[in-house]
Structures are given as structure tokens and as C-alpha cells.
């Protein structure tokens, strides 16, 4: 089932203002100021001390929202009040390498491979004593949510994934793509070089703003919106995690044996059995698969929607109502 929705961005601010109090968010005094989260919480979870935003009633059904690169928890700042107003407990962790999330030990390898990020989510749920949650995300966050849903379906009530099934493996990463498709991954090859690592270290904000512009060519975000998220990239582990993630995809990075069994299971491209909604923006400028390529990877109740109106890669921040609606719908499946 495919539907197309157009987003009236002007009504988003009004909806957010009505529900900020219920969500545990704050709005600065200036009428045109950006909405923000209440002070973040911190919890030790696995190898990390995780910084996370929380909104909604503590006893509500949990929803975990997962951001991607180069974004942060503010991708969901207008989604959270919409869900909190419906009674959900909304949890938005900063991934390893972002914001005030920190490794508990200096000796821990700064691993950015997808399986490690998925284990972080399980550890986060364990730390908060959450048995089962609805997971939703985009970019790295969608891939992470996909992995949790595939490998730990007992922990995932339902799934919302922008751009669908994003589980990959190193063997698949060795296969060449047509030249046009390879061009879309230019930054991955840049990061494979020492020049690329040094360039991202020096210009991480400029680089990230360029990715925002390329991935969402019709999103007219302002400097304040970008700067709010870019502060998360000052994390001391950010560059190491990002570079490792993209080098891992090309089999150019060190591995940790603790994830080998998980990687073997993921290499088989496991089917996702939990109820799922996949969504896509009609102006996504980032590499993404066609929905027909992954529909068969979802064996439970499933739907896909194309969100119209010039919506790019950062779908929850560009179209928060559509993202929230996808979560509310799948949670009723």
C-alpha cells in the first residue's frame, strides 16, 4: 500500500506549541525561537554513558527515536511533543560519538559498525528496564532500528524506518555499483583516506552542513537550526566513530570479535517480522534504495508511504507530523 502526503510546514509550529508542555519540551520566549528539549538525562548503558531526551508520561508505552549522521536528537524535537500528547513515553538517545554521550572507558575501541550501535540500543533499553519498545529512525538510526527488529524481535513492538530495509554487510559492500550510484557515496571514499579523516576533523561543521544541503535540497533550514545540532559533533569521539563506520563498510577498518556472530546473522539479510512502516521523502537527495527492492524483507503487517512536499533525507525534522503519524499507525497494527 502506497500513499502520498503533502506537508504544510506552517502548521507544524502551531501543533508543537500546543503540546510542548505535555511533552516535557521548552520554547524560548522569542516567538520565532527554536523549540528545545528539557535538560537531558544520562544513564550508564553497556560501554556508554548515554545522553538522552525524554518526553511524555513515564508510564506510557515507550517509543525510541534514533537519529543518523550528521544529525542528532534535534531531528525529533517536533516529533516528540506529537507523540507525548498521545500518551507515549518518548526516548531519544544521542548515539555513540554525539552530544554528551561518552564511553565509560578510555580503553574501549571507538567502533562505529552498525552491530555495535544496535547493541547500544539493547543496552539502553536494559538500563531503563524497558522490555519492549517501538523503534523509529532515519539514516544510521533506521539501520540500527532495522537490526534490532531483525535480531531481537522480542524487544521491538513495531518499527518505522525511513528508506526501509538498510541492513548491509561487508561482503555486499565489496560489490561495485554503477558509476552514478558510486558517485552518490563520494564521502564514503573520502573518509577511506587519511586526508578525508583529517578533513572531517578540521571541517566537521562545514562538511555536515554540506551533507544537510545535498541530502535535503528543498529544506530551507536556517543557521540556528543547523548550529543547534552541530554542537553534538563536538563530541571527542565523533570523528573516530564516523570514520570507522564508513571504513567498516568498505572492509577497511578494524573489527571487534564480540560482534562477529551478529554480523554473520546480518550477512544473511534476515527478514523483519515485526509490524513495520517504511517511509520516504519525495526529495531525498541521499543514497537510498527503491521501495520495491526491500518490500519482501518485511513479513509482518507492513506499509510504505511516500511523503510529498519536497521532503528530503531528514524526514522527521522536515515532516514531523508525517513521521509521528507513521509511528501512531504502526503501533496500532
Amino acid at each position: 500500500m502506497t500513499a502520498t502526503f503533502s506537508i504544510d510546514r506552517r502548521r507544524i509550529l502551531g501543533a508543537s506549541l500546543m503540546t510542548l508542555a505535555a511533552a516535557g519540551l521548552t520554547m524560548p520566549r522569542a516567538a520565532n525561537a527554536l523549540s528545545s528539549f528539557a535538560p537531558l538525562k544520562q544513564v550508564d548503558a553497556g560501554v556508554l554513558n548515554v545522553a538522552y531526551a525524554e518526553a511524555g508520561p513515564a508510564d506510557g508505552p515507550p517509543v525510541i527515536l534514533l537519529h543518523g549522521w550528521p544529525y542528532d536528537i534535534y531531528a525529533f524535537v517536533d516529533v516528540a511533543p506529537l507523540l507525548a500528547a498521545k500518551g507515549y513515553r518518548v526516548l531519544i538517545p544521542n548515539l555513540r560519538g554525539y552530544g554528551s554521550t561518552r564511553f565509560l572507558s578510555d580503553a574501549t575501541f571507538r567502533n562505529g559498525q552498525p552491530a555495535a550501535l544496535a547493541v547500544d540500543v539493547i543496552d539502553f533499553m536494559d538500563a531503563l528496564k524497558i522490555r519492549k519498545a517501538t523503534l523509529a529512525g532515519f539514516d544510521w538510526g533506521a539501520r540500527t532500528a532495522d537490526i534490532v527488529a531483525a535480531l531481537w524481535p522480542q524487544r521491538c513492538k513495531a518499527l518505522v524506518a525511513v528508506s526501509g530495509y538498510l541492513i548491509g554487510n561487508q561482503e555486499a559492500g565489496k560489490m561495485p555499483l554503477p558509476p552514478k550510484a558510486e558517485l552518490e557515496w563520494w564521502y564514503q571514499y573520502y573518509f577511506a583516506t587519511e586526508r578525508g579523516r583529517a578533513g572531517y576533523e578540521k571541517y566537521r561543521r562545514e562538511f555536515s552542513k554540506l551533507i544537510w544541503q545535498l541530502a535535503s535540497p528543498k529544506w530551507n533550514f536556517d543557521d540556528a537550526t543547523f548550529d543547534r545540532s552541530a554542537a553534538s559533533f563536538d563530541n571527542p569521539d565523533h570523528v573516530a566513530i564516523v570514520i570507522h563506520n564508513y571504513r567498516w563498510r568498505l572492509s577497511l577498518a578494524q573489527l571487534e570479535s564480540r560482534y562477529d556472530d551478529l554480523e554473520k546473522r546480518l550477512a544473511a539479510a534476515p527478514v523483519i517480522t515485526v509490524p513495520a512502516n517504511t517511509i520516504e521523502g519525495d526529495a531525498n537527495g541521499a543514497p537510498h534504495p527503491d521501495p520495491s527492492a526491500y518490500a519482501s524483507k518485511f513479513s509482518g503487517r507492513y506499509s510504505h508511504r511516500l511523503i510529498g512536499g519536497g521532503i528530503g533525507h531528514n524526514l522527521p525534522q522536515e515532516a514531523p507530523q508525517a513521521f509521528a503519524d507513521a509511528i501512531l499507525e504502526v503501533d496500532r497494527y
Side-chain angles (χ1 to χ4, degrees):
M1 175 180 179
T2 301
T4 303
F5 296 86
S6 294
I7 305 303
D8 182 354
R9 300 177 193 230
R10 292 173 296 180
R11 65 188 174 87
I12 291 171
L13 179 61
S16 297
L17 284 168
M18 292 177 63
T19 51
L20 281 169
L25 280 79
T26 60
M27 175 66 77
R29 291 182 181 179
N32 61 347
L34 297 171
S35 54
S36 184
F37 290 114
L40 300 188
K41 299 181 178 182
Q42 304 276 155
V43 64
D44 287 350
V47 300
L48 300 172
N49 178 263
V50 178
Y52 66 101
E54 181 168 357
D59 60 350
V63 176
I64 299 176
L65 306 179
L66 301 170
H67 69 84
W69 170 84
Y71 306 94
D72 79 330
I73 60 173
Y74 280 100
F76 304 105
V77 72
D78 293 317
V79 174
L82 300 174
L83 297 175
K86 296 293 186 180
Y88 287 90
R89 181 188 183 189
V90 186
L91 300 157
I92 314 171
N94 261 316
L95 304 183
R96 54 171 63 192
Y98 293 82
S100 54
T101 291
R102 295 290 187 273
F103 285 88
L104 294 174
S105 171
D106 291 340
T108 302
F109 179 60
R110 273 38 178 179
N111 188 338
Q113 74 185 93
L117 273 69
V119 170
D120 289 345
V121 173
I122 296 298
D123 289 338
F124 178 68
M125 293 175 67
D126 288 345
L128 296 181
K129 296 180 171 53
I130 296 172
R131 184 182 64 84
K132 200 169 192 176
T134 295
L135 303 180
F138 72 107
D139 195 82
W140 288 21
R143 180 175 294 106
T144 302
D146 283 344
I147 292 173
V148 173
L151 299 187
W152 295 278
Q154 73 279 11
R155 306 298 299 271
C156 181
K157 180 182 179 184
L159 170 72
V160 172
V162 176
S163 300
Y165 187 90
L166 298 177
I167 296 174
N169 61 80
Q170 289 183 318
E171 287 303 312
K174 295 176 182 178
M175 300 299 294
L177 301 173
K180 184 177 180 181
E182 295 283 19
L183 179 63
E184 294 179 332
W185 289 104
W186 63 271
Y187 52 89
Q188 179 170 266
Y189 300 109
Y190 180 63
F191 288 162
T193 68
E194 180 54 27
R195 178 188 176 97
R197 188 209 62 76
Y200 189 58
E201 177 75 60
K202 183 176 181 179
Y203 299 111
R204 70 183 80 175
R205 291 198 178 208
E206 295 88 343
F207 197 102
S208 297
K209 180 175 279 190
L210 175 61
I211 294 296
W212 278 37
Q213 293 165 340
L214 295 175
S216 299
K218 297 185 178 182
W219 181 30
N220 295 317
F221 60 88
D222 57 21
D223 287 342
T225 298
F226 174 76
D227 291 342
R228 181 178 58 179
S229 289
S232 290
F233 312 151
D234 293 332
N235 183 296
D237 300 309
H238 178 75
V239 173
I241 295 298
V242 171
I243 296 301
H244 186 270
N245 178 282
Y246 287 103
R247 290 184 179 181
W248 175 89
R249 301 184 194 197
L250 296 175
S251 300
L252 298 175
Q254 176 184 345
L255 303 180
E256 285 188 279
S257 59
R258 62 177 295 202
Y259 301 111
D260 287 352
D261 288 343
L262 297 179
E263 293 296 351
K264 289 178 181 177
R265 295 171 62 188
L266 293 173
V271 170
I272 292 174
T273 60
V274 305
N277 277 350
T278 60
I279 52 179
E280 188 64 83
D282 66 337
N284 186 358
H288 60 279
D290 187 272
S292 62
Y294 55 71
S296 64
K297 303 306 295 183
F298 297 92
S299 65
R301 187 169 178 183
Y302 169 75
S303 68
H304 175 79
R305 288 180 174 162
L306 178 68
I307 310 302
I311 304 303
H313 189 59
N314 186 359
L315 195 151
Q317 196 162 1
E318 297 176 63
Q321 186 67 61
F323 192 82
D325 286 346
I327 294 170
L328 295 173
E329 179 184 12
V330 78
D331 200 49
R332 294 192 295 265
Y333 284 177

